[in-house]
Amino acid sequence: MSVRRSVIAGVGSYLPERIVTNDDLAKFVDTSDEWIVERSGIRQRHMVADGQFTSDLAIAAAKAALENANMDAQEIDLIVMATTTPDNTFPATATIVQDALGIHHGAAFDLQAVCSGFVFSLSTADNFLKAGQFKNALVIGAETFSRLLDWEDRTTCVLFGDGAGAVVLKSEEGGDGTVADRGILTAHLHSDGRYKDKLYVDGGPSTTQTVGHVRMVGRDVFRHAVVNIADVINEALLATDLTIEDIDWFVPHQANKRILDSTAKRIGLPPEKVVMTVAEHGNTSAASVPLALSVAVADGRIKRGDLVLLEAMGGGFTWGSALVRW
Ligand code: ACO
């Protein structure tokens, strides 16, 4: 039996030039490098320059992913872009990226699942490809989260950063339907709106006509994150009849080192299999998973044939996992 799978053919990323260290923040926020490192593992984050937009980061990441896949932009017929910080309320930032890449066919749209956005977008594109509706997709996570932060709220503003990552997903026939196939083997998505007030933005076009600022009940987010992430990882393993020992690389949403350490411990994954970029990037929301993927592919850790476990959790709450044979 020949099975159609969505294979990750290339990955790319982009980080704005400006690096902001914890000490830089401590100059205007009542915080310290010691507190931030101890509570979150974050040492620095990148931040956009004036006049630099989410689409600029996304375009650079998309071009890098296409180059890595050795593909031409014209081969792309679907762009799914995860972002909470679109250039404007509309049109979808994906259409700005599409136009900049010179693509005037197929479909391009944004998807909003906050920090889970990349995993939700990957699964969405995978389903379109498996259904045969599109052939090759760009899945992008791009954020300028610095523009949503309240710089007087030290409980949130020290945690986030800007950046973008992208993958090229290619529909390929010929898999035999086993976990040995290349491509996305399984994906699992969840939302539970009962927790919408635990992590949110206090503005929007319909409520305040402003973009608002990030608000968070940090302890509740932490508690739910560890449990939900472990559960959705087990769901992926159960669905594929794989065990945690089969995983070569764990590429989680980079929210917070303590969340990642607790999750890895809970699921029984050794720390050396965890790709961790939170120290250098901070929490880049939907961009964090493809940014981390990009780092681990570029430095030679993730290689063809490896089994890669992705997960994310974010506002809503939303959370999800995906298992990919690289
Ligand atoms: N610098 C110095 N002190 C601070 C700072 C700061 N930046 N922020 C808070 N504090 C103070 C608080 O005011 C408080 O002081 P008090 O005891 O005098 O009242 C003290 O530090 C402890 O505050 P808590 O909020 O209890 O600190 P906690 O140990 O819970 O750590 C943190 C806070 C890091 C936010 C933690 O709750 C956490 O990691 N939560 C997960 C949130 C997260 O990662 N969110 C990312 C988005 S969601 C996602 O992507 C999954």
Side-chain angles (χ1 to χ4, degrees):
M1 184 184 66
S2 174
V3 168
R4 188 183 286 152
R5 296 271 200 200
S6 312
V7 170
I8 297 188
V11 55
S13 62
Y14 177 80
L15 287 160
E17 257 173 55
R18 185 160 70 109
I19 292 174
V20 178
T21 65
N22 294 342
D23 285 335
D24 292 335
L25 291 182
K27 286 177 195 149
F28 62 95
V29 184
D30 182 16
T31 190
S32 65
D33 178 58
E34 194 189 359
W35 192 95
I36 301 171
V37 171
E38 188 195 312
R39 306 292 172 119
S40 72
I42 297 166
R43 294 182 180 277
Q44 61 170 53
R45 70 286 293 141
H46 290 247
M47 278 187 199
V48 277
D50 289 345
Q52 195 175 28
F53 305 131
T54 295
S55 60
D56 297 318
L57 314 189
I59 291 161
K63 284 182 177 168
L66 283 165
E67 195 181 323
N68 185 246
N70 204 15
M71 280 171 68
D72 189 89
Q74 295 311 318
E75 295 176 69
I76 299 295
D77 54 1
L78 174 68
I79 300 176
V80 186
M81 169 140 169
T83 188
T84 297
T85 46
D87 287 12
N88 289 97
T89 306
F90 81 85
T93 305
T95 61
I96 299 168
V97 176
Q98 185 198 34
D99 184 45
L101 295 175
I103 306 171
H104 302 119
H105 60 268
F109 60 89
D110 289 359
L111 188 149
Q112 165 59 297
V114 211
C115 297
S116 309
F118 180 78
V119 172
F120 273 56
S121 296
L122 192 73
S123 176
T124 301
D126 176 39
N127 284 323
F128 275 120
L129 264 51
K130 282 194 299 207
Q133 195 168 348
F134 297 102
K135 286 287 297 171
N136 301 309
L138 260 173
V139 181
I140 307 170
E143 302 280 17
T144 48
F145 235 72
S146 60
R147 301 222 162 100
L148 280 184
L149 299 174
D150 174 353
W151 292 102
E152 290 182 359
D153 176 9
R154 67 177 181 174
T155 67
T156 52
C157 75
V158 302
L159 300 174
F160 296 90
D162 301 333
V167 300
V168 176
L169 264 194
K170 212 172 169 180
S171 175
E172 284 192 4
E173 296 265 357
D176 59 11
T178 71
V179 294
D181 289 350
R182 283 191 80 205
I184 298 172
L185 304 177
T186 193
H188 303 266
L189 309 180
H190 294 276
S191 310
D192 189 341
R194 278 178 299 178
Y195 302 104
K196 59 189 178 301
D197 298 333
K198 301 290 184 194
L199 178 55
Y200 66 102
V201 158
D202 61 2
S206 185
T207 50
T208 59
Q209 297 84 57
T210 63
V211 294
H213 290 126
V214 174
R215 304 293 175 211
M216 177 176 76
V217 187
R219 289 208 164 181
D220 289 350
V221 174
F222 193 105
R223 203 162 40 86
H224 280 93
V226 176
V227 175
N228 290 346
I229 293 166
D231 283 354
V232 80
I233 287 170
N234 284 327
E235 214 178 319
L237 294 173
L238 265 176
T240 46
D241 217 6
L242 289 162
T243 68
I244 203 72
E245 285 75 33
D246 295 312
I247 304 298
D248 293 301
W249 296 107
F250 178 40
V251 186
H253 167 49
Q254 309 284 320
N256 180 312
K257 184 178 184 303
R258 286 193 306 153
I259 294 181
L260 302 191
D261 289 344
S262 304
T263 304
K265 201 170 162 199
R266 197 177 170 103
I267 61 176
L269 201 69
E272 56 274 16
K273 287 189 173 183
V274 183
V275 175
M276 194 114 51
T277 54
V278 67
E280 295 80 32
H281 301 169
N283 180 349
T284 57
S285 184
S288 91
V289 171
L291 264 168
L293 265 179
S294 187
V295 167
V297 169
D299 69 19
R301 271 179 287 177
I302 297 180
K303 291 181 287 299
R304 193 171 167 140
D306 282 353
L307 188 62
V308 182
L309 171 64
L310 314 178
E311 65 77 8
M313 147 103 191
F317 290 139
T318 53
W319 64 104
S321 65
L323 261 178
V324 183
R325 177 75 63 193
W326 205 259

